[in-house]
Amino acid sequence: MKNQENKIAANERLAELLGWSNIVEVGGALVGTPPAGAAESRGQAMVPDWLGDWTAAAPLLVQFEIRLTPASTCVDASGFLARYRCYPDRDAAARAAIVKAVTHRLEKAR
């Protein structure tokens, strides 16, 4: 359960940094108000699951110019490491490294 809580917290933090607001957890998923310009959402939408879904995480690589480099024991996302042994599989480790890198860049830019 702790892993799920950490995943939700990391997705929520990234969503806040990307401009989402009024974020609430609903049954293990996050819902909130998307950043300005998302009029088609009618003011509420599901927050992307960057840690759980490649279709959400992959665009962050391009948008934030993150270089993803796999190694024997971990994956490096522009200097942010995720050790494979800490995640259920290598894909999950890669998505976690991406989220760490983007979150750091956005926090640094504040």
Side-chain angles (χ1 to χ4, degrees):
M1 193 57 150
K2 185 71 170 165
N3 288 340
Q4 180 68 13
E5 292 169 5
N6 291 342
K7 178 182 169 184
I8 290 169
N11 277 328
E12 182 175 11
R13 180 66 184 137
L14 182 54
E16 290 168 348
L17 291 167
L18 289 171
W20 287 73
S21 58
N22 304 318
I23 301 168
V24 294
E25 183 184 348
V26 179
L30 295 172
V31 176
T33 304
E40 68 277 2
S41 71
R42 297 186 202 155
Q44 191 174 36
M46 279 191 67
V47 173
D49 181 8
W50 294 288
L51 281 169
D53 184 5
W54 271 111
T55 59
L60 296 174
L61 291 168
V62 176
Q63 183 179 354
F64 293 95
E65 299 179 357
I66 303 295
R67 183 185 331 206
L68 198 60
T69 309
S72 61
T73 61
C74 64
V75 62
D76 178 346
S78 295
F80 291 85
L81 302 178
R83 303 217 178 275
Y84 296 136
R85 64 181 164 79
C86 297
Y87 296 90
D89 56 45
R90 288 177 176 230
D91 282 347
R95 289 188 303 270
I98 293 166
V99 169
K100 287 179 190 179
V102 172
T103 299
H104 176 76
R105 285 193 180 175
L106 291 171
E107 286 176 338
K108 190 176 175 184
R110 284 188 132 196

